[in-house]
Structure formats: C-alpha cells, structure tokens
Amino acid sequence: MRLRSAQRLFVAYAAASLVPIVVLAGVLSAALAREARDRGLSEGRAQAAVVARTAIEPLLDGEDLASGLSAAERDGLTRIAVSAVGGGSVVRLRILDSSGRMVFSPDGSGLGQAPDDEAREAAASGTDRAELTRLNTDSNDQEAVGQRVVEVYLPLMVQKRQVGVLEIYLPYEPIDAAVSAGLRTVYGLLGVGLVLLWVALAGISASTMRRLRREAARNAYLADHDVLTGLPNRAQFHRRVQAALAEGRAGGTSTAVVLLDLDRFKEVNDTLGHDHGDLLLRSLSARLTENARSGDVVARLGGDEFALVLPSAGEDDVVALLDRLRGSIGADIVVGEIPLSVEASFGYVLAPADGDDADTVMRRADMAMYRAKDSRVGRARYDGVRDHYDAGQLALVVQLRDAIETGQLVLHYQPKTVISTGEVCAVEALVRWQHPERGMVPPDLFIPVAERTGLIEPLTRWVLDAALTEVRGWDGALTVAVNISARNLAHLGFAAMVLETLDRTGVPADRLVLEITETALLAEPETVVAVLGRLTAAGVHISIDDFGVGQTSLGYLPSLPLAELKIDKSFVMDLVTNPSHRAIVRTCVDLGHNLGLRVVAEGVETAEILDFLGAAGCDIAQGYLLTRPLPPAELRRWLGDRRVGTPSAAPGAW
C-alpha cells in the first residue's frame, strides 16, 4: 500500500513537472519564431539596400524624381526590373518620388496614384521600412497573388541627397528556408534539452522519493527504538506493557514488569568518558536480551535505566530471571581494554495483583526499584504498605521544583556553642519552605519528596550557595553546617560542586561543615570515601550526623576522613531520666575523642542535660536551651546581644 502510494505520488509529480516544461517550450518557440521573422526582415532590408545602391541609384542623375524620369533613366530601370523580376530574385520593383507618389512601375500599374502611408512615411523620415506581408491583388502576376513577401521601402540617395523612394517586394520563401534550416537545429537542440531536463527532474524526484521513504522508515524506527542500543524505547515499552496486560487478563495469567537501574554508572561516564559509557550500555543491553526468556521484551527507558515485560510469569519465574540477570550484569565487561563491573537494582510488579494498567505498574515498579537501590538488596517487589504516592505528593514535587527556582526557600540558623566556654562557634543551616498558599511547609514533608524525586541535588546546591553567601558577612570565627543527602554523595561531581561554590562565594573551606548521616556513609562506600577525601583535602570539615541510630560499622569509622561526631538527639533529650541513654552518650563521647573527633550533642533543652554533657567531656552543644533556629536578621541580633567570642560566666548562664 505504501509503495503504491509512493508510485502515485511520483507519477503525479512527473506529470506536474511536465506542464512547466511544455509551457517553457512554447515560450521559447514563440521567441524563436519572432527571431526568425526579425531575421527575415533584416535580410530583406539588406537585399533591398544592395539593389538600391548597386543598380538603382547609379542610374539616377540626382534630380528629385518629382520632376519625372528621363528616357535613359526609365529604360535603365525597366531593364533592371525585368531582369530582377524575371530572375525571381524580386517579385515587384517600383520607384516613388519624395512625396510618395509612384513615378515608375515596370508594368505601368499604379503610376500617378496618391502616395500610401508607408511610402509617405518612408519618404518623409528618410529611413527604410520593412514588413512581412502577402502580395496584394493589384499584381499583374495572378500566380504571385497571396505570395508571402518582404515589403521594403528604402530612400534613394544620390550625392547624399534623397531623390525618391524604392518600393521593392522580395520573396520570403528563400529567406524563410535559410532561417528555418537554422531554426530546425535550434528546435532540435531545444527539444532534446527540454526532454533531458524533464528526465533529470523525474530522476531527482524519484531519488527524493526514495530518500523520503528511507527517512520515513528511519523516523518510524526511531520513534519506537533507542538509538544507542536498538532496544524498544519508553513509548514502545509502554504499548508492549499494555498489550501484555491485556493478554494476561484474557488468558488469566500474571504479567511481570521489571525496572532496573545501574548502580554507579555515572562514575563510568565521569571517569572514563561517555564513549566508554555508551559501549558499556550496549554490552549490557546485549546481555539482558541474551538472558531474557523467549517472548520477554527488553527496553531501554533512557540513561542507565532498562525495563522488561515478562508475559505469563509468576513470582518464582521473576526471581529466577532477575538472579540470572544480576549475575550476567555483574560479570566483568571489557570496555576499551578496561574490565568494568557494574551492579543493578531491580524493582518489579506482578499484574494484576500489583496493578492492572500500564501507568500504575510502571510507576510501582519504579518505586520498587528505588527501594531496592536504597536498601541495597538488589531486587525488590512493590510493597503497597510503603507506597506513599498520592496526587498531593505529585503536586508537591512540581511546586518544590518551582520553589527552588523562584526563591520561595529560606534558611534558618541554629547556633552551636562550646560547652566549656559558652562561645558560639558555628551555626547549622536549616532550609524552610515559605509556600505562597500553604504557609511554612515543614522540612519533614518536602525533604523526603526531594530525596525520592532527584530534586535533592538542586535543593542542596541552593542551600550551599545561600548559606555560604550569608556566612561570608559574619564573624570569621563562625562556621556553617549544611546537611547532605546520601544521593549527593553518590555522585563524584558533588565535591567539585561544593568547591566551586566555596570559590565563587569567597568563603574559606574550613568554615564549612558538611553533616552526613550514617546511612549516607553506607550507601556507596567507595564513592563516599573518594568524595569526602577530596573535600577534606580542600579543608572542608565532615561530621557524622544522627550518630547512634544508623548502622555504621565501628571498624569503618577510622577509614573515613571525619572531623566531628554528632550524637543523635534521641539519646540526648532524655538522658537525665534514662540511664541507658546516659551510658550511650558517654560511650559516644569517649569513642569520638579516641578517634580524634570533636563531639557535638544536639537536642540540648535543659540545664541538667548541659551539665551532664559538660561533665562527660562533650565538646559542643546545640538545642533549644541556646535558641531555636532563627532567620538571618534575628540571628544577627541574637549574636550581637551575646557578644560573639566572649565566654559566659558558666554553662548554666545560658
């Protein structure tokens, strides 16, 4: 059908292109005909001039012919006229005086007639006139009547003086034959040229149609396939999921949808370049395809994210396949003579149990994949208990992105003080969202949203820039602490971003503390160590936040470039009444000091807690006893009231 349509289009184009060529041929033919006529008249003038100059004018005595011809002149003109007409080179020859009145005609016809317009104009202007006409019926030679002739009126000049006018009719056929012979060659060349032009245009149109068909086929392919790997893309995968779900409903079987994301793939791109990353993706796509079951669909959704549809698959089928795929992906791949090993996190759903439409199962498989990545379990099935998705959360994502870009975010700062002196030594920057409709949105509501959606990176960048810009104008003894997400540390480029922000704001690196949770330290150990090492080498201080509630291995701590250990407030706030928490706090203080770290306690709300921390040797305190988090203007007033840098009389004087 498509081929027949293309053929019809080509025929229509060829026919349409023929029309202007035919019109062009007609225009050129008309132009050539006019050229032939003009050439005929020009040759007629030339022949008349030859007759006048060589035969007629030498016979005249120079007197105006209005006074009549002498016998000798008449006899001579008669001989010339009879000879010329008889020889066929002239059809008619007559002489007019200067007023246009006829004074000589070989056969006597027309003598004395009133001058006609052409003769009068030729005589009056002293210039020749020529036109293509047919012989009038007043000719004595009836056989010549209607013959095409060149009618020429030519002034007769004797001794540079016009004495009369020559009226001569020359046969046009010899002239026409000579001109036509040349025109036939021109017409032939023109015809051949136009035919060749049409053939060339037809060839170009045919070639263009072939290219258009190839381009249309390529565009149709690209609309459904990933350019790099040749696998189905997101659009085609969505349709394949819909089809598989429909077949599953009709056949009463379950369908599995799997999403997988490569772990630490960005490191390959950042370290070895995108060319090596592309080679790795092509190799992995081949392994996925080779290890999938017959009838399964493997697709690349974009970046380092792939997906599979497994028709008629149960839980055991999915687990067995994913284990096989994990083993295949984990095996070394040689890229540019470099053996690379990557891991992947898989999330999957089983329809109809976990959803029965394409959008739902893909979203839930994506949630399961992120749970597998965050918990480092490799693969995870969708768990409805953990699904916190709702329309409000989705709206919050859109609004949060807009808030970052339009300045709705603000920072509040909570001071930290040296327990032994009461000196304010640092502030912690805490982000707040001043929503135009909802008012102040709690961090506990939008920070997890940012973590799940990837907005944590632009959010962290904004907080760093705003905090460092603010602290630049404060007392040089103050440092500023900023909380960092596990997702930030998963990227090698994070360190470069922090150092670039320090350089741009002009704040020394040793005035910045990055607070990192224990979970973040365990998320990507190799990457975390590399990122923290670069930051520490530049002078940035690293603090373990919420220490004691995470899963940090004690043997892992000495290998980290840390400067500070921050005891979680859940142990601090009730240590006066909870002996176990008092013991944990003392242990954390001793552990930190033995590792060469300063120790910070957060959640200090009473003087009793402060006294205990001082006795236990804790270095720094932070909490409501000192002050709640304050906006920048209020913090500056508060700092001025406390006279930053001046020790207080005693910790209890807070």
Side-chain angles (χ1 to χ4, degrees):
M1 178 66 71
R2 184 176 298 174
L3 179 59
R4 289 197 299 271
S5 176
Q7 289 173 340
R8 287 195 298 270
L9 183 60
F10 168 70
V11 171
Y13 179 82
S17 65
L18 188 60
V19 173
I21 290 178
V22 171
V23 172
L24 176 61
V27 171
L28 291 176
S29 297
L32 289 173
R34 286 194 302 272
E35 176 66 18
R37 179 179 177 277
D38 292 342
R39 285 178 58 187
L41 295 177
S42 177
E43 291 196 17
R45 284 192 178 95
Q47 291 183 25
V50 170
V51 172
R53 304 297 178 254
T54 61
I56 305 299
E57 290 176 353
L59 296 176
L60 304 178
D61 58 9
E63 296 296 329
D64 192 327
L65 298 181
S67 59
L69 295 170
S70 66
E73 289 174 333
R74 189 176 302 280
D75 290 342
L77 290 173
T78 300
R79 286 195 303 272
I80 291 172
V82 171
S83 174
V85 173
S89 59
V90 175
V91 177
R92 177 186 294 174
L93 186 151
R94 297 191 293 196
I95 305 297
L96 315 174
D97 63 18
S98 297
S99 67
R101 185 173 57 83
M102 189 177 300
V103 297
F104 172 77
S105 174
D107 56 6
S109 61
L111 289 174
Q113 288 182 352
D116 56 22
D117 293 338
E118 291 84 354
R120 183 184 298 109
E121 290 178 9
S125 64
T127 59
D128 63 319
R129 292 176 59 85
E131 65 177 5
L132 182 62
T133 184
R134 292 186 179 275
L135 198 63
N136 295 328
T137 56
D138 59 352
S139 172
N140 292 333
D141 184 359
Q142 293 302 313
E143 294 182 0
V145 173
Q147 178 184 352
R148 285 201 304 170
V149 294
V150 178
E151 182 179 4
V152 181
Y153 291 90
L154 185 69
L156 295 172
M157 307 296 293
V158 178
Q159 299 177 358
K160 299 182 180 180
R161 175 171 174 265
Q162 180 177 339
V163 297
V165 177
L166 170 64
E167 179 187 39
I168 188 170
Y169 293 79
L170 303 171
Y172 182 69
E173 279 72 14
I175 298 174
D176 182 52
V179 173
S180 297
L183 287 179
R184 280 193 294 271
T185 301
V186 174
Y187 280 132
L189 294 175
L190 174 63
V192 171
L194 291 176
V195 170
L196 291 177
L197 174 61
W198 184 82
V199 171
L201 290 176
I204 291 172
S205 67
S207 176
T208 302
M209 292 303 302
R210 287 194 296 270
R211 286 198 303 271
L212 289 175
R213 286 197 298 270
R214 288 195 298 268
E215 188 67 23
R218 174 172 171 77
N219 290 339
Y221 177 83
L222 293 178
D224 284 338
H225 293 81
D226 173 57
V227 177
L228 179 64
T229 63
L231 295 176
N233 61 12
R234 182 181 294 273
Q236 184 184 169
F237 182 74
H238 191 276
R239 294 196 299 272
R240 300 292 284 271
V241 170
Q242 289 177 317
L245 293 176
E247 292 176 2
R249 284 192 296 269
T253 59
S254 60
T255 302
V257 176
V258 181
L259 266 64
L260 69 99
D261 186 83
L262 301 179
D263 299 333
R264 300 190 301 276
F265 174 74
K266 189 175 186 298
E267 296 178 21
V268 176
N269 276 339
D270 293 343
T271 306
L272 301 178
H274 288 277
D275 290 342
H276 286 76
D278 289 347
L279 291 173
L280 179 61
L281 288 174
R282 281 196 287 266
S283 298
L284 290 175
S285 66
R287 290 189 178 184
L288 290 172
T289 303
E290 292 168 359
N291 286 277
R293 308 175 310 165
S294 175
D296 292 345
V297 177
V298 180
R300 182 188 178 211
L301 304 187
D304 58 351
E305 190 175 11
F306 293 82
L308 298 92
V309 178
L310 283 60
S312 303
E315 180 85 21
D316 294 341
D317 299 322
V318 177
V319 171
L321 176 62
L322 297 190
D323 287 344
R324 186 166 70 249
L325 291 177
R326 291 181 65 196
S328 175
I329 291 174
D332 284 351
I333 298 175
V334 178
V335 177
E337 300 182 355
I338 301 174
L340 300 176
S341 178
V342 295
E343 296 179 353
S345 299
F346 294 81
Y348 67 95
V349 296
L350 285 174
D354 298 332
D356 198 29
D357 65 88
D359 291 331
T360 299
V361 299
M362 290 183 66
R363 177 178 62 80
R364 291 178 174 178
D366 190 60
M367 294 176 61
M369 183 267 292
Y370 275 109
R371 184 163 68 87
K373 182 181 286 288
D374 292 340
S375 60
R376 302 183 63 80
V377 296
R379 56 174 166 79
R381 181 178 173 179
Y382 168 75
D383 183 357
V385 176
R386 298 172 181 266
D387 187 354
H388 303 294
Y389 171 83
D390 59 37
Q393 288 281 314
L394 182 59
L396 198 63
V397 171
V398 177
Q399 294 169 6
L400 179 57
R401 181 180 289 107
D402 184 62
I404 296 171
E405 296 174 353
T406 58
Q408 296 177 23
L409 302 180
V410 295
L411 290 181
H412 288 188
Y413 298 90
Q414 187 171 37
K416 302 178 184 180
T417 188
V418 178
I419 294 177
S420 61
T421 65
E423 176 187 357
V424 176
C425 59
V427 294
E428 180 179 359
L430 302 169
V431 65
R432 301 289 187 262
W433 181 3
Q434 186 63 52
H435 195 283
E437 297 175 357
R438 303 171 62 170
M440 194 67 74
V441 180
D444 291 345
L445 183 59
F446 69 85
I447 294 296
V449 171
E451 290 272 4
R452 290 196 300 270
T453 60
L455 288 176
I456 194 64
E457 293 186 18
L459 177 61
T460 303
R461 188 182 301 111
W462 182 90
V463 172
L464 272 170
D465 185 81
L468 292 174
T469 300
E470 188 75 40
V471 78
R472 180 175 53 192
W474 295 350
D475 188 296
L478 283 178
T479 61
V480 62
V482 175
N483 291 284
I484 300 302
S485 165
R487 289 190 178 275
N488 297 132
L489 293 177
H491 300 296
L492 289 172
F494 175 72
M497 185 273 291
V498 173
L499 299 180
E500 187 275 330
T501 306
L502 285 166
D503 183 66
R504 176 164 42 80
T505 56
V507 177
D510 60 2
R511 293 186 64 187
L512 175 63
V513 177
L514 298 181
E515 296 190 0
I516 302 162
T517 64
E518 294 178 80
T519 303
L521 293 174
L522 293 174
E524 301 279 353
E526 296 178 1
T527 303
V528 168
V529 170
V531 170
L532 296 185
R534 183 177 178 186
L535 291 170
T536 302
V540 177
H541 299 287
I542 307 300
S543 172
I544 295 185
D545 195 11
D546 301 335
F547 186 77
V549 297
Q551 303 171 346
T552 303
S553 169
L554 296 181
Y556 184 48
L557 285 178
S559 65
L560 297 172
L562 303 175
E564 183 178 281
L565 183 151
K566 193 171 184 181
I567 305 172
D568 186 71
K569 64 182 178 181
S570 63
F571 302 117
V572 175
M573 294 178 68
D574 67 345
L575 61 80
V576 173
T577 59
N578 190 327
S580 297
H581 285 179
R582 287 199 300 272
I584 290 174
V585 169
R586 287 195 189 96
T587 301
C588 289
V589 171
D590 292 340
L591 174 64
H593 288 164
N594 289 332
L595 293 175
L597 309 177
R598 62 178 175 267
V599 180
V600 180
E602 60 178 349
V604 179
E605 297 187 355
T606 66
E608 291 84 359
I609 294 175
L610 181 64
D611 291 338
F612 177 84
L613 293 172
C618 185
D619 301 300
I620 298 172
Q622 176 182 354
Y624 286 177
L625 178 62
L626 185 61
T627 181
R628 292 176 177 272
L630 299 172
E634 293 184 25
L635 176 67
R636 284 193 292 271
R637 287 196 296 270
W638 185 87
L639 290 173
D641 293 341
R642 285 187 57 89
R643 295 166 55 197
V644 175
T646 301
S648 59
W654 292 7

